[in-house]
Amino acid sequence: VQWDGAAPSTAYDVERRRQAEKTASKPNRRVSGEDAHRMLTEAQARVDERREALGNVPWPEALERSRARLASPYGLPTIVTRESANLERWEMFMCVCLVETALMAPFEVAFLEPELWNFLFTLNRLIELAFLIDMIMCFCTAYDVPGQLAETRRSRIAINYIRHWFFIDLITVIPYDWISLYLDLGANIKLVRLLRALRLLKLLRVLSSSKLYKRYVLSISVPYAKLQLAQFGVLIVLMGHWLGCIWGFALRLNNESENSWLSSLIGGKSHGTWGPGGTYMLCVYFAVKTLTSIGYGDVVPISYEEHVVAIFLMLVGASTWAFIIGSACGLFASLDEAGIAARQTFDNVNSLIEEQQLPDELAIRLRQFFAQSMRMSRVQGYGVLLQRMTKALRGE
């Protein structure tokens, strides 16, 4: 069976394609006349049953009908579809948790000492509980398959989640700071701090925000170039914050001794006079000027550990800044593609007029014609988009 490659417009078309592909994949074998008649009768009965169940309905309505069978008869959680309003609200809550993790986890590791049952300790446990609930929900959330109905079989959903995000999510729900408080490591302060640094693995959870971002982009009508520029702005802020926290953690690895960049900067004064907030601002100051390739030279590494961390920050900062500058230049050029094409067209028309020495009246008519034809070119481009849509979408 040959198909033209066009997207199916009805659920019945999808079912026909499935049956045809399944039949084409089976090896050829000899059957008797009675067996062939029986197989054709059964196949026709299945097709008629599917036709009656699905009908010649538009694609969105077929999706809703197929998802009416998602309740579990064995007491398991109901399969949740991507169109669920409750799932949308839960994902918004998870976005808030991801923002808190991306901002507070590095700050706590670099500048704060963990304490049992204070506000931040309780908040971290609640967020880890939310991440654990989200892992359970991922085993009960249908995922989209290109060109087909959403996958609602529990076994396929579980396999898909385990193959992609399960182990990353599992790492992020381990309470590393809680473990470090209960382990008896004696006077080995550096080992304790390295163990607490494992909490930075929770930043891997931020990778899952790409799924939420893709679904959010589909719900808004903003040019891609502007979205990318907004992403670069967020990336600069996050990188300044993260690199600053890494620079502050290097100070803690050095046990805040007199042989550190902070002691050299403040002239031997006590570190406690600055506090976590003041030290954080100095670290972000160093990180931002390293990220943007400024480098005033007033904050310099002193110890061996600080030199290693400074080299790492310079490499990461230079790579990030080069990527942002190069990508931003290309995006700025593509913000007004229609305007750029119009200016190039008018330049070509003016060159033609000058070389051919056309009269002024004809030159004005030529410019007016091309100014009006640009609008027609955009309309023709819309026609190409319409041809790529299904019949149901074109009808709507």
Side-chain angles (χ1 to χ4, degrees):
V1 178
Q2 298 292 331
W3 299 91
D4 58 0
S9 59
T10 65
Y12 181 64
D13 293 339
V14 175
E15 187 61 29
R16 288 180 57 205
R17 178 172 294 186
R18 280 182 177 177
Q19 295 296 333
E21 291 175 350
K22 185 183 297 184
T23 303
S25 63
K26 293 181 178 179
N28 296 328
R29 56 192 179 91
R30 290 173 173 263
V31 294
S32 63
E34 294 182 358
D35 291 340
H37 179 72
R38 178 178 53 80
M39 293 169 61
L40 287 174
T41 304
E42 292 176 355
Q44 185 62 41
R46 287 195 298 269
V47 170
D48 293 340
E49 181 181 355
R50 286 288 186 177
R51 183 193 295 271
E52 183 179 355
L54 297 176
N56 193 26
V57 296
W59 183 261
E61 296 181 19
L63 289 176
E64 294 300 326
R65 291 189 186 183
S66 64
R67 289 164 182 168
R69 306 175 285 105
L70 301 181
S72 172
Y74 304 105
L76 297 174
T78 303
I79 297 296
V80 182
T81 63
R82 291 297 180 186
E83 291 76 18
S84 172
N86 292 330
L87 180 62
E88 182 177 356
R89 287 190 287 267
W90 175 257
E91 289 180 343
M92 292 178 62
F93 172 69
M94 291 305 301
C95 285
V96 176
C97 294
L98 289 174
V99 171
E100 193 277 341
T101 301
L103 296 179
M104 289 305 300
F107 181 82
E108 292 179 49
V109 170
F111 303 102
L112 299 179
E113 291 290 344
E115 299 179 7
L116 282 175
W117 306 114
N118 61 358
F119 173 75
L120 284 177
F121 184 87
T122 305
L123 180 62
N124 291 333
R125 303 293 79 76
L126 292 176
I127 291 178
E128 287 166 359
L129 178 61
F131 287 164
L132 183 60
I133 295 174
D134 186 65
M135 289 182 62
I136 298 174
M137 290 187 61
C138 287
F139 283 102
C140 306
T141 304
Y143 66 94
D144 295 327
V145 180
Q148 301 181 22
L149 299 176
E151 183 59 70
T152 58
R153 288 172 290 185
R154 293 183 183 276
S155 58
R156 295 294 182 88
I157 293 174
I159 292 173
N160 180 73
Y161 178 52
I162 291 174
R163 288 176 56 190
H164 292 89
W165 293 102
F166 174 75
F167 293 103
I168 293 178
D169 292 347
L170 181 62
I171 292 174
T172 62
V173 298
I174 300 175
Y176 298 102
D177 48 351
W178 200 351
I179 295 174
S180 66
L181 286 173
Y182 283 98
L183 285 179
D184 185 12
L185 298 177
N188 197 340
I189 303 299
K190 187 172 292 188
L191 181 59
V192 173
R193 288 173 175 170
L194 287 175
L195 181 60
R196 291 171 184 168
L198 292 177
R199 190 166 182 266
L200 294 178
L201 293 174
K202 293 183 180 296
L203 295 179
L204 294 174
R205 189 80 185 197
V206 179
L207 298 175
S208 63
S209 62
S210 60
K211 301 181 294 183
L212 307 179
Y213 173 76
K214 290 177 181 178
R215 286 196 290 274
Y216 173 74
V217 168
L218 295 177
S219 64
I220 60 177
S221 179
V222 178
Y224 173 78
K226 293 183 178 179
L227 284 176
Q228 283 291 98
L229 291 176
Q231 289 182 32
F232 292 150
V234 173
L235 179 61
I236 291 174
V237 173
L238 278 180
M239 290 301 297
H241 173 69
W242 288 344
L243 296 181
C245 292
I246 294 175
W247 186 237
F249 186 69
L251 182 65
R252 295 176 66 84
L253 283 180
N254 205 22
N255 296 328
E256 298 184 355
S257 65
E258 298 300 325
N259 187 30
S260 65
W261 65 266
L262 184 57
S263 299
S264 175
L265 181 66
I266 64 180
K269 297 180 182 179
S270 174
H271 295 172
T273 58
W274 286 84
T279 307
Y280 168 74
M281 290 305 300
L282 288 175
C283 293
V284 171
Y285 164 75
F286 173 78
V288 171
K289 70 179 184 180
T290 302
L291 177 64
T292 55
S293 305
I294 297 175
Y296 290 120
D298 50 351
V299 178
V300 294
I302 302 297
S303 65
Y304 171 79
E305 293 87 352
E306 291 174 356
H307 278 87
V308 172
V309 175
I311 292 173
F312 173 76
L313 295 186
M314 286 185 285
L315 291 175
V316 174
S319 302
T320 304
W321 190 244
F323 167 75
I324 291 176
I325 293 299
S327 301
C329 290
L331 287 174
F332 277 119
S334 64
L335 280 176
D336 188 20
E337 292 184 348
I340 294 174
R343 289 189 290 271
Q344 291 177 346
T345 300
F346 275 107
D347 288 342
N348 293 333
V349 171
N350 290 330
S351 298
L352 174 65
I353 293 172
E354 184 178 354
E355 291 179 2
Q356 300 297 327
Q357 297 182 353
L358 301 179
D360 294 340
E361 181 181 356
L362 179 58
I364 294 173
R365 288 168 53 196
L366 280 175
R367 295 190 185 98
Q368 291 176 345
F369 168 79
F370 280 101
Q372 295 174 359
S373 65
M374 289 176 187
R375 169 64 180 171
M376 296 299 299
S377 299
R378 287 197 294 270
V379 173
Q380 291 176 355
Y382 300 153
V384 175
L385 292 177
L386 288 172
Q387 290 297 324
R388 296 176 60 182
M389 300 179 188
T390 63
K391 294 181 180 179
L393 288 176
R394 287 199 297 269
E396 294 179 4

